[in-house]
Amino acid sequence: DRDLEDTRHLIDSMRSDLQADNRTQRTRVDGMVQVGLELNKVQDFHVLMDRILSDARRLINADAGTVYLREGKVLRFAYAQNDTLARQSTEAPRFSSLSIAVSDHSIAGWVGSSGETVNVPDAYAIEPSAPFRFDPTFDRLTGYRTRSVLAMPLRTSQGRSVGVLQLLNAVDERGLPRERFRESDQALLTHFAS
């Protein structure tokens, strides 16, 4: 009798979790559709890129993010947003003069080179066999601590790679750290990267 009661409670709990997850996913899809409609109205490239970054961060729940634009064999920090650093300082850090090589010496550089998406739970614990490394330069410059990273190539409608969209440090709806970005986050980010 007690086992049956425990099983019913477990089923009810699982059902409730599934319904909550479905509501969250529906909210995200509705938000993505709304963002898509609004972004189509933006004419200024700089406003558009900044908006794409902020909307992607909001829908995927990322503490920070960067849009890198490709210029030959380098990726230039074009747009950067970071909630943690913004709370710590009244002056936003300037990164537009920074660039990284399109190479395996950084996650974004490797994404820019390979055209593949990267989703790692801890940038400081990447397997030695991985084809890319984490470059902690940004963390050292700012005192920020990068944990989870989700990065994917930015492509034109013709498929040409023009940069990298990278989101950092997954958080939950309350802004508390999550272990990693989910597969559903990755699928949603594909919309923004294209």
Side-chain angles (χ1 to χ4, degrees), residues 109-177:
W110 186 82
V111 169
S113 173
S114 70
E116 295 185 37
T117 297
V118 170
N119 187 349
V120 296
D122 186 348
Y124 286 88
I126 295 173
E127 291 292 323
S129 61
F132 49 82
R133 302 286 163 258
F134 173 65
D135 180 355
T137 302
F138 172 83
D139 283 6
R140 284 195 297 263
L141 283 172
T142 63
Y144 190 69
R145 172 59 165 88
T146 300
R147 294 179 319 273
S148 53
V149 178
L150 176 56
M152 63 179 40
L154 288 170
R155 298 188 188 282
T156 65
S157 57
Q158 293 79 32
R160 186 172 64 89
S161 177
V162 294
V164 173
L165 175 59
Q166 179 173 273
L167 299 184
L168 304 174
N169 294 356
V171 294
D172 65 17
E173 290 73 21
R174 298 168 306 207
L176 299 174

Side-chain angles (χ1 to χ4, degrees), residues 16-53:
S16 176
D17 289 348
L18 183 58
Q19 289 170 340
D21 193 42
N22 284 340
R23 282 191 301 273
T24 299
Q25 292 305 321
R26 182 65 190 166
T27 299
R28 292 173 98 188
V29 169
D30 291 346
M32 186 175 67
V33 169
Q34 184 62 36
V35 165
L37 293 171
E38 291 174 15
L39 289 177
N40 282 327
K41 297 175 186 174
V42 177
Q43 300 297 315
D44 182 291
F45 177 77
H46 299 292
V47 171
L48 177 65
M49 296 308 291
D50 192 58
R51 178 74 187 274
I52 286 172
L53 181 56

